[in-house]
């Protein structure tokens, strides 16, 4: 028990120093990004059910394709999603997972989840992507928060992530952690 009392504070101290060192070394930034996802449907399973306001279609789908745009987001894209759409009104929801892999190194660059609103009979999708973007050479990664718009045409999905030069559908990669200074003064 005595050893535990000694080691536990040492472990906590080492963890605190590691977090402080990584925060001090990692660049702090918020950078706008944009990208385009183009994917083809690979698999689909669907089920129908009745609701109080009409028929519903629940679909489980996987998509594969490519993401182009900001180099930190560019690569081979895989998307899995679940959507539930009222076939009477055409409105519903969709949520899923997005992974982008570097084609040359086979490492995952982006891991994200998304959630969105489906309109126009299941053709249009508007929503939010949140996830992690890994560092790419001189381009620092961080947390991805991105608005997106998607359109589905038959078995092809196109999604615009962020909008270059506008604030209509903003998207950013951010890595900032403000640590209070020891003196208690703000700004460090």
């Amino acid at each position: 028990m005595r050893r535990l009392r000694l080691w536990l504070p040492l472990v906590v101290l080492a963890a605190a120093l590691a977090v402080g060192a990584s925060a001090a070394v990692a660049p702090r930034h918020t950078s706008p990004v944009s990208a385009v996802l183009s994917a083809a449907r690979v698999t689909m399973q669907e089920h129908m059910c009745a609701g109080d306001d009409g028929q519903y279609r629940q679909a489980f789908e996987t998509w594969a394709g490519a993401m182009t745009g900001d180099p930190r987001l560019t690569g081979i894209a895989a998307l899995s999603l679940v959507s539930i759409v009222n076939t009477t009104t055409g409105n519903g929801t969709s949520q899923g997972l997005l992974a982008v892999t570097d084609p040359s190194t086979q490492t995952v660059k982006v891991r994200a989840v998304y959630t969105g609103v489906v309109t126009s009979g299941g053709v249009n999708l508007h929503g939010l992507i949140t996830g992690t973007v890994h560092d790419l050479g001189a381009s620092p990664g961080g947390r991805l928060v991105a608005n997106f718009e998607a359109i589905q045409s038959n078995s092809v999905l196109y999604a615009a992530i962020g909008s270059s030069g506008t604030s209509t559908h903003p998207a950013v990669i951010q890595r900032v952690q403000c640590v209070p200074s020891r003196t208690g003064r703000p700004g460090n």
Side-chain angles (χ1 to χ4, degrees), residues 14-30:
L17 289 173
V19 169
S22 67
V25 173
R28 294 179 179 144
H29 70 94
T30 301

Side-chain angles (χ1 to χ4, degrees), residues 14-171:
L17 289 173
V19 169
S22 67
V25 173
R28 294 179 179 144
H29 70 94
T30 301
S31 54
V33 294
S34 63
V36 174
L37 169 67
S38 176
R41 185 185 297 126
V42 177
T43 64
M44 179 179 68
Q45 295 177 340
E46 60 183 354
H47 307 283
M48 301 296 286
C49 65
D52 294 342
D53 56 349
Q55 285 292 109
Y56 281 86
R57 173 186 172 267
Q58 180 174 4
F60 301 89
E61 302 174 72
T62 58
W63 299 76
M67 183 103 80
T68 58
D70 187 288
R72 294 169 288 182
L73 303 178
T74 298
I76 299 167
L79 177 67
S80 61
L81 63 88
V82 177
S83 60
I84 302 173
V85 177
N86 181 315
T87 59
T88 306
T89 65
N91 297 322
T93 61
S94 182
Q95 59 188 13
L97 304 171
L98 170 67
V100 179
T101 305
D102 186 298
S104 60
T105 65
Q106 303 303 310
T107 58
V108 177
K109 297 168 67 172
V110 178
R111 292 177 200 265
V113 296
Y114 86 89
T115 187
V117 174
V118 179
T119 60
S120 302
V123 175
N124 295 324
L125 177 62
H126 308 272
L128 181 68
I129 297 172
T130 59
T132 304
V133 176
H134 298 281
D135 288 347
L136 176 64
S139 299
R143 180 177 52 167
L144 172 67
V145 178
N147 288 289
F148 74 92
E149 255 186 84
I151 212 165
Q152 181 181 335
S153 176
N154 297 320
S155 296
V156 179
L157 178 74
Y158 299 100
I161 298 165
S163 291
S164 183
T166 71
S167 62
T168 306
H169 305 298

Side-chain angles (χ1 to χ4, degrees), residues 2-26:
R2 187 174 178 191
R3 286 185 183 174
L4 182 61
R5 283 189 221 166
L6 176 63
W7 283 105
L8 188 57
L10 289 176
V11 170
V12 171
L13 177 62
L17 289 173
V19 169
S22 67
V25 173

